Amino acid sequence: YPIKERLFMRKVVLTLAIITLILVPVAATNSFALGLNLGTNTGLGVQYQMNDFDVVGNVGYGLLNGFISVDAAASYKVADFSINKARFDVTAGVGGYVGIPLDSDSKLSLAVIVPVGLKYSLANKDWPLDFYLRFSPGVQVLDEVKFFWGANVAALWRFN
């Protein structure tokens, strides 16, 4: 790889490390959840929940476009259901996506997203895990206007 690309990648990795170092102490002292996110944006997932409302953010690598991907959304629990004794929340919300290209030939990507998802929280104080599955259709508004979508599955450790 050319020196310019290696320097850019080092800056990206350093930025992600700094974000992680900031988020971990904040998550440990508030009602946050922190974990891994797998999907079109694979990386670090963060969630802050307030009753039926939550804010979710993800920072990682965009598997479809090779960008550093950042998305955040505010969601509301619109319904819930149970399977046996397991309770699932159905959420819907609105948010945004930013794709930062790793090569100089690509352009910045920006989209408005409408995430819809399922969330399951383990009712176990020793293992306070939240799991979610989200599909996020939307409209890309930068570099060009077109349909956008993302999908993620995550496991997050809840700090209460």
Side-chain angles (χ1 to χ4, degrees), residues 12-67:
V12 169
V13 170
L14 180 61
T15 302
L16 291 174
I18 290 170
I19 290 170
T20 302
L21 289 173
I22 291 169
L23 291 177
V24 169
V26 169
T29 60
N30 293 300
S31 298
F32 278 86
L34 185 65
L36 296 176
N37 186 51
L38 302 172
T40 54
N41 179 357
T42 296
L44 176 71
V46 178
Q47 179 187 49
Y48 180 69
Q49 187 170 354
M50 301 162 280
N51 297 324
D52 292 342
F53 175 77
D54 70 10
V55 177
V56 176
N58 301 299
V59 176
Y61 180 73
L63 294 179
L64 296 179
N65 53 19
F67 287 8

Side-chain angles (χ1 to χ4, degrees), residues 37-41 45-49 52-58 71-77 89-94 113-120 131-137 149-154 156:
N37 186 51
L38 302 172
T40 54
N41 179 357
V46 178
Q47 179 187 49
Y48 180 69
Q49 187 170 354
D52 292 342
F53 175 77
D54 70 10
V55 177
V56 176
N58 301 299
D71 65 69
S75 296
Y76 188 77
K77 181 175 87 169
D89 294 336
V90 179
T91 62
V94 66
I113 58 174
V114 182
V116 206
L118 289 176
K119 186 180 98 174
Y120 173 71
F131 300 95
Y132 72 79
L133 172 66
R134 279 211 170 118
F135 177 67
S136 301
W149 69 276
N152 302 316
V153 61
L156 305 172

Side-chain angles (χ1 to χ4, degrees), residues 80-90 118-123 131:
D80 59 53
F81 64 92
S82 295
I83 298 175
N84 294 324
K85 293 185 180 183
R87 196 181 112 233
F88 295 85
D89 294 336
V90 179
L118 289 176
K119 186 180 98 174
Y120 173 71
S121 297
L122 280 179
F131 300 95

Side-chain angles (χ1 to χ4, degrees), residues 104-156:
S104 59
D105 294 337
S106 299
K107 295 181 181 176
L108 183 74
S109 177
L110 181 67
V112 176
I113 58 174
V114 182
V116 206
L118 289 176
K119 186 180 98 174
Y120 173 71
S121 297
L122 280 179
N124 185 328
K125 292 186 184 216
D126 294 329
W127 292 94
L129 291 172
D130 285 356
F131 300 95
Y132 72 79
L133 172 66
R134 279 211 170 118
F135 177 67
S136 301
V139 175
Q140 182 173 320
V141 293
L142 278 181
D143 151 57
E144 61 181 312
V145 176
K146 65 181 183 179
F147 178 74
F148 176 88
W149 69 276
N152 302 316
V153 61
L156 305 172

